Amino acid sequence: MENLIALALGYALGSIPFGLILTSLSGAGDLRSIGSGNIGATNVLRTGRKGIAAATLLLDLLKALAAVLLVRAYWPGHEALAALGAILGHCFPVWLRFKGGKGVASMMGASLALAWPIGAAYAVTWLGLLAVTRISSLAGMVAAIVAPIAAWWLGLTDYAQVLAVIAVLVLILHRGNIQRLLAGTEPRVGSKA
């Protein structure tokens, strides 16, 4: 029963579509009809509203972090399921017909809440690669792969297993980006493409 509660709470918090809510409130229109149609921070940035994109990134991170910390406080030992639930909620929100984001910011929040060194490894990889390449998808995917490796290296095998599942999901959701990366057509952050 506690497994189900942890997963459901994670899903409920993760499914809050902050990108869609913030762009709508700001008068930027329906985010699903802009750019890639994705509800994450990278697509919010395509509206030209940098502040709203930053807020979306932060809130998507915090909702997953909150899910893990709440479960740790009330149902300790089930944090990994809360992390998984939060990512599933973000990527497949029932309110949006299961069409959500790709889980990069939320995975960072979950990683940070599970164990701060995992979150630190994720953040350094993500932000470092983003600064060097300016390719959001590449930075996010590599960071997603680093998280379970960091957890395994720290001896947190339960977390490593769940983070590996999440990393595979993140990669699957980025399959279009992977094709564009291979073709050399993936847009860089700040480009007009």
Side-chain angles (χ1 to χ4, degrees):
M1 188 62 174
E2 289 185 348
N3 286 342
L4 187 58
I5 291 170
L7 197 61
L9 177 62
Y11 182 89
L13 287 173
S15 68
I16 302 170
F18 284 115
L20 186 64
I21 293 168
L22 293 176
T23 52
S24 180
L25 290 175
S26 72
D30 188 338
L31 185 59
R32 294 167 294 180
S33 63
I34 297 167
S36 66
N38 190 274
I39 65 164
T42 301
N43 200 44
V44 174
L45 191 58
R46 293 187 179 106
T47 67
R49 313 277 178 98
K50 292 179 182 178
I52 294 173
T56 299
L57 190 149
L58 182 62
L59 289 169
D60 283 349
L61 183 155
L62 288 175
K63 67 185 181 184
L65 184 141
V68 174
L69 294 182
L70 278 170
V71 167
R72 178 171 288 147
Y74 294 101
W75 302 279
H78 302 280
E79 297 89 346
L81 282 175
L84 178 60
I87 305 306
L88 290 174
H90 177 76
C91 298
F92 309 106
V94 64
W95 336 108
L96 303 179
R97 298 182 183 174
F98 306 102
K99 294 179 182 176
K102 295 182 181 178
V104 173
S106 293
M107 187 176 181
M108 181 174 166
S111 297
L112 189 59
L114 288 172
W116 74 262
I118 301 172
Y122 191 106
V124 167
T125 303
W126 183 21
L127 298 175
L129 266 177
L130 185 58
V132 171
T133 67
R134 291 180 31 242
I135 302 176
S136 178
S137 60
L138 178 63
M141 287 187 288
V142 174
I145 293 167
V146 164
I149 294 170
W152 174 80
W153 186 75
L154 291 165
L156 302 170
T157 53
D158 288 347
Y159 294 168
Q161 291 170 6
V162 169
L163 288 169
V165 169
I166 294 171
V168 169
L169 175 60
V170 168
L171 292 175
I172 290 170
L173 292 173
H174 280 85
R175 59 193 179 277
N177 303 87
I178 293 169
Q179 290 173 351
R180 288 190 295 275
L181 282 165
L182 293 173
T185 58
E186 180 74 342
R188 295 176 188 268
V189 173
S191 70
K192 299 295 182 186

